[in-house]
Amino acid sequence: MADFSNSEIENGRRLFAGDWSFSSAASSVGSLPPPSGLEVAFAGRSNVGKSSLINAITGRRALARTSNTPGRTQELIFFGGPHRLVLVDLPGYGYAATAKSKVATWTRLIHDYLHGRTALGRVYVLIDARHGLKSVDEAIFDALGEAAVSYEIVLTKCDQVSEEELEKRSESVKAGVRKRPAAFPDLIVTSAHTGVGIPQLRAAISRLLAERRP
Ligand code: GDP
């Protein structure tokens, strides 16, 4: 996992200890908010633990709504924080029961958002540590690569697998993105339940913000 100095960890902690709140939702490109500040987006299959992770990094129990109906939310949700940092919760993908027409709408919406969104600094693609990469994840990597958006993998629910399995899963996921130039070679291992990796994810975002600030 990427290394962060104590001061970077502390900067990340401070950044996310600030005020976070819902700012807007968009279900079509026309309703996207005007870009402002730095956007960091989170993508992943339905049920990967995306809402739980957003709540964990912001230290808010219910900022992002955890849903019992996978595939229901077809909106991009924008959360505003300190220093004009914006977290974007992208709609979950790959839920088997989702109608084809909905998948098409999802694909178009994400595609349109990713292309030409200058405020978008990075996408974190969440992968369930129990399951590893699936073909729908490869499809999102393709879309991100085409849009030339930099992205990094976050393994979620690491508390659900043994140390040995986690090691194997990390290696195979890393191998899966090795040939993809828009992907970070490293990944961040997390658990929203135990808090593992949360300080590192905050630090990574804080580092990106520091790099992007004039
Ligand atoms: P989303 O659909 O991607 O937003 O996923 P949610 O955050 O709603 O989580 C889906 C399910 O996974 C819920 O039952 C969560 O309690 C569970 N979950 C999320 N994060 C973790 C984690 O770090 N560890 C474990 N064991 N379960 C988790």
Side-chain angles (χ1 to χ4, degrees), residues 45-47 67-75 91-99 102 106:
R45 299 172 72 214
S46 299
N47 218 36
S67 161
N68 294 321
T69 321
R72 190 184 55 182
T73 321
Q74 295 288 319
E75 289 179 317
Y93 53 81
Y95 183 56
T98 308
K102 275 209 160 173
W106 185 94

Side-chain angles (χ1 to χ4, degrees), residues 51-108:
S51 315
S52 302
L53 190 73
I54 291 173
N55 289 336
I57 60 172
T58 55
R60 297 276 301 266
R61 197 172 289 214
L63 182 64
R65 195 163 37 112
T66 52
S67 161
N68 294 321
T69 321
R72 190 184 55 182
T73 321
Q74 295 288 319
E75 289 179 317
L76 287 83
I77 317 275
F78 295 77
F79 302 105
H83 303 295
R84 295 171 74 220
L85 176 62
V86 177
L87 303 184
V88 186
D89 185 0
L90 301 179
Y93 53 81
Y95 183 56
T98 308
K100 275 224 172 82
S101 61
K102 275 209 160 173
V103 174
T105 309
W106 185 94
T107 308
R108 202 163 44 238

Side-chain angles (χ1 to χ4, degrees), residues 172-212:
S172 68
V173 169
K174 275 193 230 171
V177 295
R178 199 160 289 148
K179 293 215 167 73
R180 293 179 176 273
F184 268 61
D186 217 341
L187 45 77
I188 301 180
V189 175
T190 67
S191 164
H193 282 194
T194 66
V196 163
I198 302 302
Q200 285 74 16
L201 182 54
R202 288 174 178 152
I205 296 171
S206 166
R207 184 191 277 177
L208 176 68
L209 184 67
E211 285 166 2
R212 289 295 182 100

